[in-house]
Amino acid sequence: MTLPIVDVARTRPWPPRVSSFTKPFWDALAEGRFLTTRGRTSGRLTFPPKPFCPYDWGREIEWVELSGRGKLYSQTVIHAVPAAFAGEAPIRNGIVDLDEGLRVAARILGEPALDAAMECVVLRYTDGPLFAFRGR
Amino acid sequence: MADAPLQALEHEILAPLVIDAMATAGLPKEEIGALVFAMCRPYTLQKYFATFMANYLRLPLKGTIMEVLGNGMTGGMAFDEAVNAVALGHSDVALALGINMESQANSAEHMMTTMRAVGDVDFHSIFGFTPISWYAMDAVRYMHEFGATRAELASVAVKDRRHAALNPIAQFKKPLTLDEVLGARPIVEPLGLYEVPPRSDGAVCLVVCAEEVAKASARPYALVRGRGFFHEGAHQINEVPNDMTAFVSAQGAAATAYRSAGITAADLDLAELYAPCTIVQVLAGEALGLTPRGKGAAQAAAGETSLGGRIPICTSGGCLSRGHPAYSTGLLTIYELWEQLTHRAGERQVRNARLGAGSCELGNYNAALVHVLEAVA
């Protein structure tokens, strides 16, 4: 499944560090797929992705693709922003509960109501991707 | 003003407080065996501030000396560790103290640091979440679920300002109206300027000692009667969807504190809560059992948490008006309880105050530390 991609004509204000472990996440996101990890022995998903399972500390994990669908749990519009984000102010950020039972915080597009059905989109900045959610 | 000439340095402000605190306690400096400092902000140039101060004050110590860091809980942890130093017998007298200087900091630059403290740097900070943005999302969810109104939440700021007007150490004392709070420019929606913390400077020194030392001093004191702590194992949000506004850590810490004190929430005469925003005071009050779940904002608006009300909360004026020198706020909490329980609180005195609770927290109340203090008759 490929996520909608929204182009943003500037660089990310505070880009994530990409480690050898998290590279698959960011590479997949750039291609329109929202991934995380699942512990092989526990069978449980975690987010952000981790090189082990935080529930049973099992070291065997697998990358799985998430639907990117969920419900908006809460949101805010941040007017007083950190210096690096001055060019994006005001910022609408929120918390989305994914259908897979994970809670994720991210940028929110549009002005959805709480509990609205949401979908993940890729923000394609000029230097790399971020994820965001919008109403669907 | 950032370019104004220096007027005082941290140690020059804190040392007289130490001398005053020991004079009030009626104890000689030789009795002090432990110093537990709330860590200074990065703006304080003197590093290893604790041992620097031990030299400045000429204080050899047989117990311990440390600087603690527990995010927003820092001041509360400094007090907690000083209590431990006495309880463990390392010293009969310990000081819990700190100075937090940050009012000169540029907010947008300051938040470049704090945004990295309240979230995963690579998965949250990338979106620009600030410390109070998480509380704002609590407010949005709380109003959605319980039907609390903006005016009810805002009433907390008006009430806190009324309390602060009676507190000599408060940062803001000018009366504030509900219309001013509701009409203030937005900072993190729905919260405006008067519902979020100011940038504050503050210094505190508390004297903690064994009860026989306090008794022998013949000075008023308060007893630490209960203590509870809980960390929910989550950083800002739980990756498994839960009831974010329930503040489960505050519930857990309070339950432990009340149990260890042998009391219930109904026995408390007042509470001083770590609450940087109006919504946080409402949610922490509910989690500590001071107001019913979902009713905290309405009860604040009805005056139940005001001085003279059923359970006064933040008689100092709280973070919003007393001020929020973040790493020292937890110490100011205990200071206010001590003032109330030794009946030194003047015009803001809670009549016959016997039991008081103090809380502090970190993150979005992901951890909480609750103390119950008791007046000595």
Side-chain angles (χ1 to χ4, degrees), chain B residues 163 269-272 304-315 350:
Chain B
H163 291 177
D269 299 299
L270 74 152
E272 189 72 18
E304 295 202 29
T305 61
S306 298
L307 273 169
R310 179 177 59 80
I311 175 71
I313 295 178
C314 291
T315 54
V350 174

Side-chain angles (χ1 to χ4, degrees), chain B residues 151-301:
Chain B
E152 287 169 350
L153 277 185
S155 76
V156 173
V158 177
K159 180 266 295 177
D160 280 359
R161 183 61 63 91
R162 271 203 313 273
H163 291 177
L166 307 175
N167 187 356
I169 67 166
Q171 185 174 3
F172 300 104
K173 299 176 188 172
K174 191 180 141 207
L176 195 57
T177 67
L178 191 60
D179 285 345
E180 286 173 309
V181 178
L182 289 170
R185 68 182 165 91
I187 304 297
V188 281
E189 291 186 30
L191 307 177
L193 184 65
Y194 298 116
E195 293 185 80
V196 303
R199 188 126 289 130
S200 309
D201 300 326
V204 192
C205 177
L206 304 174
V207 181
V208 179
C209 63
E211 192 174 5
E212 56 269 28
V213 175
K215 274 185 183 151
S217 76
R219 302 293 175 95
Y221 63 94
L223 275 177
V224 179
R225 183 157 154 186
R227 182 264 192 197
F229 173 87
F230 194 80
H231 181 256
E232 63 175 316
H235 199 52
Q236 300 302 141
I237 51 171
N238 195 320
E239 71 170 12
V240 179
N242 68 346
D243 182 358
M244 183 169 84
T245 63
F247 281 9
V248 293
S249 291
Q251 290 178 353
T256 304
Y258 298 160
R259 196 181 321 118
S260 63
I263 66 162
T264 69
D267 296 320
L268 292 168
D269 299 299
L270 74 152
E272 189 72 18
L273 306 180
Y274 184 106
C277 297
T278 48
I279 179 64
V280 184
Q281 189 176 125
V282 168
L283 298 183
E286 292 181 6
L288 265 72
L290 308 175
T291 54
R293 179 86 170 116
K295 299 268 190 274
Q299 291 202 347

Side-chain angles (χ1 to χ4, degrees), chain A residues 19-94:
Chain A
S19 66
S20 55
F21 170 73
T22 60
K23 192 169 185 297
F25 173 86
W26 295 107
D27 286 351
L29 187 66
E31 295 166 1
R33 290 179 302 126
F34 192 49
L35 304 186
T36 196
T37 53
R38 178 164 57 203
R40 278 191 196 275
T41 49
S42 71
R44 297 190 67 169
L45 294 167
T46 186
F47 190 88
K50 297 169 184 67
F52 63 97
C53 172
Y55 295 95
D56 68 0
W57 290 4
R59 292 173 191 273
E60 286 189 36
I61 57 106
E62 57 193 344
W63 287 94
V64 294
E65 184 170 352
L66 296 165
S67 68
R69 298 191 161 204
K71 281 168 64 176
L72 184 64
Y73 182 73
S74 196
Q75 63 184 330
T76 180
V77 179
I78 307 173
H79 293 261
V81 299
F85 291 83
E88 300 213 330
I91 299 168
R92 183 178 292 263
N93 282 350

Side-chain angles (χ1 to χ4, degrees), chain B residues 15 29 35 39 83-84 100 108 113 150 182 185-186 216-217 224 245 253 262 264 270-271 276 309 331 377:
Chain B
K29 68 175 285 208
L35 297 180
M39 187 169 266
V83 171
N84 285 344
N100 178 106
T113 299
R150 281 292 297 118
L182 289 170
R185 68 182 165 91
S217 76
V224 179
T245 63
T264 69
L270 74 152
L331 293 166

